[in-house]
Amino acid sequence: MPSKPFVLSWKNYLTLCKPNVVAEMLFTAVVGMLLAVPGMPPLGLLIYATVGIALAASSAAAINHFIDRKADAQMARTEKRPLPTGELNATNVITFAVVLGVSSMLILVLLVNTLTAVLTFLSLFGYAIIYTLYLKRATPQNIVIGGIFGATPPLLGWCAMTGEVHPFGLLLALIIFVWTPPHFWALAIARREEYAKVNIPMLPVTHGVEFTRLQILLYTILLLIVTLLPYLTGMSGLIYLGSTVLLDLGFIYYAVLMMRNKDNKTAMKTFVYSIVYITLLFAALLIDHYLRFTL
């Protein structure tokens, strides 16, 4: 049986990786890989690309923990993280992040392709440094601008299989880019007091909750338009179209509900729905792709 300190340490390092967030990113990356080819991609290439992207995302998450450690200690949502509790120190975290990052680049360069490695590194650097270190505290549009870096997983997946930046891969990234603000702002509304406490200028803190609710509604309408593009460009078919229209109407419903109810509970329900939304939307892309290919 492993010792308790070993188990605790293992769990702490896993927490640094933000496994729930990384799992969602990996799902969209794998969908990008599968959509890039008419049948099944080479299994080895798919595994190497998935591991490489996962390690890079985990490295970025660990750096995020390091940079935000003081703010995390003051927020109820994050005060139990390993750095604020003292279960890991800054040296542990940075060393872990570097090992993950270097391992990621080696796997992607040697076993996938250089383009994927370069784009993955730019995404890692953009999220961990440009967003977390600068944008997050510089502007209430932090999540919009920083969303560029968080939107790349499906594009990385596509590049991993094809070695090129394809318009369809960019379209997948665009969907996540437009989805990110209403997804995160719903959470920011519910947690606005905590963000204000640590002087992070999230939109509901700087411009008020009413303005943020309006922005969420406008972005969900924009998202409806953007998510029609895979069908309109011939990338996907009717299965995807029917699924995305229903999902988008659901998101708009929650955005309207937020305008009416004006409570944190509705904001959190919208946040949860947004996660279900992006998961089902990418699942619909995948189902449509393989049913069309089979038929």
Side-chain angles (χ1 to χ4, degrees), residues 175 222-231 240 244 248 277 281:
I175 290 172
L222 177 60
L223 188 60
L224 169 62
I225 297 169
V226 169
T227 52
L228 292 177
L229 293 178
Y231 174 75
Y240 167 76
T244 192
D248 281 313
Y277 168 93
L281 185 140

Side-chain angles (χ1 to χ4, degrees), residues 19-288:
N20 292 337
V21 175
V22 170
E24 190 66 43
M25 292 173 61
L26 277 183
F27 174 66
T28 63
V30 171
V31 171
M33 296 177 204
L34 297 173
L35 293 179
V37 295
M40 287 297 295
L43 182 59
L45 183 60
L46 187 147
I47 292 173
Y48 294 139
T50 301
V51 172
I53 294 170
L55 291 175
S58 298
S59 175
I63 295 172
N64 177 270
H65 275 264
F66 170 76
I67 293 173
D68 279 348
R69 62 193 185 280
K70 292 183 179 179
D72 285 347
Q74 302 177 58
M75 298 172 66
R77 183 170 65 92
T78 55
E79 64 183 4
K80 300 295 185 182
R81 288 177 173 176
L83 274 169
T85 59
E87 292 170 340
L88 293 175
N89 59 45
T91 302
N92 297 146
V93 175
I94 287 299
T95 302
F96 181 65
V98 170
V99 169
L100 292 182
V102 171
S103 299
S104 166
M105 292 302 106
L106 288 174
I107 290 171
L108 294 175
V109 169
L110 298 177
L111 300 174
V112 183
N113 59 62
T114 303
L115 177 61
T116 303
V118 170
L119 292 177
T120 301
F121 175 78
L122 292 176
S123 299
L124 187 163
F125 183 83
Y127 173 76
I129 305 300
I130 297 176
Y131 168 71
T132 305
L133 193 60
Y134 174 68
L135 286 174
K136 190 172 183 177
R137 291 164 175 80
T139 170
Q141 291 297 309
N142 45 24
I143 202 63
V144 177
I145 305 170
I148 296 172
F149 309 115
T152 58
L155 176 61
L156 299 178
W158 196 291
C159 290
M161 297 300 107
T162 65
E164 66 173 356
V165 176
H166 192 279
F168 286 163
L170 290 171
L171 178 52
L172 295 175
L174 177 63
I175 290 172
I176 296 183
F177 175 72
V178 177
W179 163 83
T180 299
H183 158 70
F184 198 86
W185 282 334
L187 175 66
I189 285 176
R191 300 287 187 262
R192 61 190 179 277
E193 293 179 0
E194 294 185 20
Y195 285 118
K197 181 180 178 181
V198 295
N199 297 314
I200 295 178
M202 291 300 176
L203 195 64
V205 175
T206 60
H207 288 67
V209 175
E210 289 301 318
F211 180 80
T212 307
R213 289 193 182 105
L214 175 60
Q215 295 305 303
I216 290 174
L217 177 60
L218 294 176
Y219 265 91
T220 56
I221 295 171
L222 177 60
L223 188 60
L224 169 62
I225 297 169
V226 169
T227 52
L228 292 177
L229 293 178
Y231 174 75
L232 295 176
T233 58
M235 177 183 177
S236 296
L238 291 174
I239 294 174
Y240 167 76
L241 178 64
S243 301
T244 192
V245 168
L246 290 175
L247 289 168
D248 281 313
L249 291 177
F251 210 160
I252 292 172
Y253 165 77
Y254 274 101
V256 171
L257 201 61
M258 285 184 65
M259 299 284 287
R260 294 177 57 189
N261 289 353
K262 305 181 187 301
D263 56 38
N264 291 344
K265 183 177 180 180
T266 304
M268 285 304 299
K269 285 183 178 179
T270 304
F271 172 72
V272 171
Y273 177 80
S274 71
I275 298 173
V276 175
Y277 168 93
I278 200 66
T279 304
L280 293 181
L281 185 140
F282 271 79
L285 280 166
L286 196 58
I287 293 169
D288 184 281

